[in-house]
Amino acid sequence: MTKKQTILSLFSILFLVTTVSFAQDKTVPVFENGEAQIVKGFSDYKEWIRHDLWVETTFNTDGDDQLDRVHVSVTRPKQTDTEGLKLPVVYVTSPYFAGVAQDVPGLMWDVEHELGEPAKVERVHPEVKRFGQRPIISNSHIMKWVPRGYIVVHSSSPGTGLSQGAPTVGGENESLAPKAVIDWLNGRAKGYTTPDGNEEVKATWTTGKVGMTGTSYNGTLPLAAATTGVDGLEAIIPIAPNTSYYHYYRSNGLVRHPGGYLGEDIDVLYDFIHSGDESKRPYNNKTIRDTEMANGMDRLTGDYNNFWAGRDYLNQMDNMKAALLMSHGFNDWNVMPEHSNRIYQKAKAMGLPTQIYYHQNGHGGPPPITMMNRWFTRYLHGIENGVENDKQAWIVRENDKRDQPTAYEAYPNPEAKNVTLFLNKGGNDVGMLSLKQNKRQKTEMLVDDFNVSGKDHAQATSSKNRLLYTTSKLKEALHISGEAEITISVSSSKSAANLSVWLVSLPWEEDAKLITNNIITRGWADPQNHESLSKSEPLKPRKFYDLTFKLQPDDQIIRAGQRIGLIIFSSDKDFTIHPKPGTELTVDLDKTRLTIPIVGGKEAFDKVTE
């Protein structure tokens, strides 16, 4: 080796040592057991970089002839500036960040009227008082994800907060707005320092890989973005998402309100979230609420139409490619559990990486942090942790903690088989629900009265206002998994009637310790839609109509000593419109049956019933 070569070699070694030392000094994400770990260098929130901007979209919805811009805020570790570190993004978007309308008297629709007739009292339209200060849109999720090596991005939905445009509650712009933000994070869209200026902002500090999450409306929007097929959106974790506004505000043709919000409809939600520019609100109100929604929502018939079809994300999934981890509660009577199940089933059929986490409680509730962490670690950081090979369904059993779900191959449980049960007369007292179909059971009648609650129906030993049929007492626990379905032949004394069905565990426990101890599942339908969800027709009094519909999905183990009860009644006090009491519904028992998905099928049912 010549002297020159020796010197060059020494320089190379020195450069290598210096480079390695420098690299070792850098703060980088750390992974253990397939999960991103909290890193000390990312954890001091006082050192985080926080800034905001406006991303230009591809739409104009507020009538000003300018493309709408959405307000975006960024929270990222300082190392994305000081060390040139590029990190993936956890993105949360919402219409709620800048405030909502007050729940004033008259906000909801009046429900005290006959079916098929308009409400007697007009709604009031409260104005939202916007709050919040730049550059922070929200502090949600930052403590969970920034210390683990992620950038957290927030944005306000169109027509809310400092975002331009109009709220459409499921309209196309609610999908295209987060798409624009993801495009900006990948250098395909423009961001600006102000809502109307030309000074650009570029996202030079990210890898461009994005995951989205959120709860309720905030969980709907990740799915909305994913249906666009936008490049860069690698994974989503929707929690209790509303996946179809028809399924949120209607049920099998019936006007059926979300639990806890009697009288709410899509225009109420519009008023609730409309926190955007006050000067644009009159145009938005006229165009969206008073025209598009007023003409499309149809509270008179409850029929499915193009307005509702355009707000059903199941119809828009063909371009979706993001890995999907869903979370929902089986006892969520606000955004009901069918919302997640229908998307999970379609995603699974499409071959997408898919998992679902169901707990036994009500609205909201994320998967355990370990599940979320593994999901984002795999699809945002690209760490091969094998999460895609895990079992697909994670169900929290009745007495277990939320972070200790039981894993199953899929949902419904693959071992569940449909078992058909028949109704035996005596329903005004307590009739039998059994495997045997006795002939010539003929008919039984109930009289509608919305003043009597479902709970009252379940506890009554005798009632003219409902029909109740129960199995024999269970000798052992029985596992239900999937969607129960009822086929019913019914006539009405009037041209329109509500139809409500509850599946319950009896005897009813007034002070039940567990939410699962009483209600198994529920369902509602409009007999006027017996032939078509999109075209109802007035009922001919006393004529029988046959209809079949599913109850809400469930996965529940019914305790030994209980009876499974089927309650058939008309108006549901907490969910439906309240017509005057007195409508008579008559059920043909010989043509009515209930199908329940039971793990182990008929053999399991035979084994546990006396």
Side-chain angles (χ1 to χ4, degrees), residues 428 444-452 457 463-467 491 493-494 497-498 542 568-571 579-587:
N428 290 124
E444 295 194 320
M445 186 182 74
L446 65 93
V447 180
D448 182 28
D449 188 348
F450 72 84
N451 294 293
V452 184
H457 288 317
S463 173
K464 68 177 182 178
N465 303 122
R466 59 94 177 115
L467 300 175
S491 73
S493 62
K494 294 184 179 180
N498 292 315
R542 308 300 178 182
I568 301 172
F569 58 112
S570 184
S571 298
K580 289 181 181 179
T583 301
E584 297 173 348
L585 291 186
T586 303
V587 176

Side-chain angles (χ1 to χ4, degrees), residues 155-168:
S155 72
S156 290
S157 296
T160 71
L162 297 179
S163 287
Q164 298 170 349
T168 58

Side-chain angles (χ1 to χ4, degrees), residues 188-363:
R188 298 186 298 265
K190 291 185 176 181
Y192 298 94
T193 57
T194 62
D196 52 8
N198 296 315
E199 183 181 350
E200 289 193 35
V201 181
K202 296 185 183 296
T204 58
W205 24 257
T206 177
T207 62
K209 291 186 178 296
V210 181
M212 294 184 70
T213 190
T215 299
S216 197
Y217 207 141
N218 303 3
T220 300
L221 297 174
L223 178 63
T227 61
T228 69
V230 59
D231 290 337
L233 182 55
E234 306 295 333
I236 60 173
I237 307 178
I239 302 162
N242 177 349
T243 65
S244 163
Y245 284 91
Y246 184 84
H247 289 76
Y248 188 55
Y249 292 117
R250 308 286 184 267
S251 187
N252 299 299
L254 194 71
V255 175
R256 191 266 305 139
H257 309 98
Y261 299 93
L262 189 66
E264 184 183 327
D265 213 319
I266 193 167
D267 60 334
V268 177
L269 186 52
Y270 168 94
D271 282 338
F272 191 67
I273 66 173
H274 195 188
S275 61
D277 186 348
E278 289 84 350
S279 68
K280 300 294 178 63
R281 294 184 190 182
Y283 175 89
N284 294 344
N285 292 343
K286 180 181 178 181
T287 305
I288 305 300
R289 184 190 68 198
D290 301 335
T291 303
E292 181 181 348
M293 289 181 174
N295 293 338
M297 58 193 278
D298 186 9
R299 282 184 66 82
L300 297 183
T301 72
D303 290 351
Y304 190 73
N305 55 28
N306 289 335
F307 172 83
W308 294 114
R311 286 167 165 78
D312 185 342
Y313 293 109
L314 187 70
N315 299 334
Q316 303 168 31
M317 287 181 64
D318 288 349
N319 294 324
M320 182 170 159
K321 53 193 178 187
L324 174 68
L325 168 59
M326 305 201 81
S327 177
H328 220 113
F330 281 125
N331 287 283
D332 185 348
W333 301 111
N334 175 6
V335 183
M336 300 189 189
E338 67 179 336
H339 282 271
S340 283
N341 184 50
R342 59 205 299 272
I343 301 300
Y344 160 74
Q345 299 297 344
K346 176 70 178 289
K348 184 170 61 170
M350 291 170 63
L352 296 175
T354 307
Q355 287 183 17
I356 194 161
Y357 166 86
Y358 267 122
H359 57 80
Q360 301 291 344
N361 296 97
H363 189 52

Side-chain angles (χ1 to χ4, degrees), residues 39-262:
V39 176
K40 183 177 180 181
F42 297 149
S43 297
D44 188 349
Y45 70 92
K46 296 178 182 178
E47 295 183 339
W48 293 345
I49 299 168
R50 308 196 72 172
H51 55 101
D52 66 343
L53 64 139
W54 279 261
V55 169
E56 188 173 78
T57 69
T58 57
F59 54 82
N60 169 38
T61 54
D62 54 13
D64 61 2
D65 297 325
Q66 300 290 326
L67 292 176
D68 297 338
R69 295 182 181 183
V70 292
H71 189 212
V72 177
S73 68
V74 178
T75 304
R76 52 191 174 93
K78 68 176 182 179
Q79 291 83 358
T80 55
D81 265 6
T82 60
E83 299 176 10
L85 181 63
K86 294 180 184 294
L87 294 173
V89 169
V90 173
Y91 173 29
V92 186
T93 185
S94 174
Y96 297 142
F97 288 147
V100 295
Q102 293 184 342
D103 186 10
V104 299
L107 172 64
M108 303 293 185
W109 282 92
D110 173 34
V111 299
E112 309 292 329
H113 60 84
E114 295 304 302
L115 300 176
E117 296 182 3
K120 298 176 182 178
V121 181
E122 288 290 325
R123 284 203 315 108
V124 300
H125 304 289
E127 291 287 324
V128 182
K129 184 178 181 180
R130 185 172 65 249
F131 65 80
Q133 294 181 344
R134 296 181 55 198
I136 297 172
I137 292 178
S138 172
N139 287 314
S140 68
H141 297 270
I142 58 176
M143 298 305 295
K144 180 183 292 184
W145 297 113
V146 176
R148 288 182 166 89
Y150 295 90
I151 296 162
V152 174
V153 169
H154 295 92
S155 72
S156 290
S157 296
T160 71
L162 297 179
S163 287
Q164 298 170 349
T168 58
V169 192
E172 185 181 31
N173 68 338
E174 288 194 354
S175 300
L176 295 178
K179 177 184 183 298
V181 174
I182 295 166
D183 280 335
W184 171 70
L185 289 166
N186 283 274
R188 298 186 298 265
K190 291 185 176 181
Y192 298 94
T193 57
T194 62
D196 52 8
N198 296 315
E199 183 181 350
E200 289 193 35
V201 181
K202 296 185 183 296
T204 58
W205 24 257
T206 177
T207 62
K209 291 186 178 296
V210 181
M212 294 184 70
T213 190
T215 299
S216 197
Y217 207 141
N218 303 3
T220 300
L221 297 174
L223 178 63
T227 61
T228 69
V230 59
D231 290 337
L233 182 55
E234 306 295 333
I236 60 173
I237 307 178
I239 302 162
N242 177 349
T243 65
S244 163
Y245 284 91
Y246 184 84
H247 289 76
Y248 188 55
Y249 292 117
R250 308 286 184 267
S251 187
N252 299 299
L254 194 71
V255 175
R256 191 266 305 139
H257 309 98
Y261 299 93
L262 189 66

Side-chain angles (χ1 to χ4, degrees), residues 420-560:
T420 299
L421 303 178
F422 299 94
L423 286 56
N424 295 276
K425 61 185 179 181
N428 290 124
D429 299 314
V430 181
M432 281 298 297
L433 191 62
S434 67
L435 292 169
K436 184 179 180 181
Q437 184 177 23
N438 294 315
K439 296 180 179 180
R440 298 181 182 179
Q441 293 294 297
K442 298 186 179 180
T443 64
E444 295 194 320
M445 186 182 74
L446 65 93
V447 180
D448 182 28
D449 188 348
F450 72 84
N451 294 293
V452 184
S453 70
K455 181 178 72 171
D456 293 336
H457 288 317
Q459 293 178 293
T461 55
S462 180
S463 173
K464 68 177 182 178
N465 303 122
R466 59 94 177 115
L467 300 175
L468 171 62
Y469 307 91
T470 73
T471 65
S472 59
K473 186 182 296 185
L474 303 182
K475 293 183 290 184
E476 299 176 22
L478 187 69
H479 188 176
I480 294 173
S481 180
E483 295 171 302
E485 181 178 86
I486 187 168
T487 294
I488 185 169
S489 183
V490 63
S491 73
S492 170
S493 62
K494 294 184 179 180
S495 61
N498 292 315
L499 178 60
S500 304
V501 174
W502 284 21
L503 201 61
V504 296
S505 177
L506 298 175
W508 188 276
E509 296 181 10
E510 186 62 36
D511 298 312
K513 294 181 180 179
L514 295 176
I515 196 171
T516 54
N517 281 7
N518 291 322
I519 295 174
I520 300 173
T521 185
R522 304 191 251 206
W524 303 263
D526 185 349
Q528 291 187 331
N529 293 86
H530 58 278
E531 287 190 352
S532 169
L533 193 61
S534 58
K535 187 177 181 180
S536 58
E537 60 180 38
L539 304 174
K540 293 181 180 180
R542 308 300 178 182
K543 177 181 177 179
F544 280 88
Y545 297 89
D546 299 335
L547 62 156
T548 298
F549 59 95
K550 294 182 182 298
L551 310 187
Q552 289 296 316
D554 195 27
D555 193 296
Q556 188 170 330
I557 297 175
I558 313 301
R559 295 165 296 154

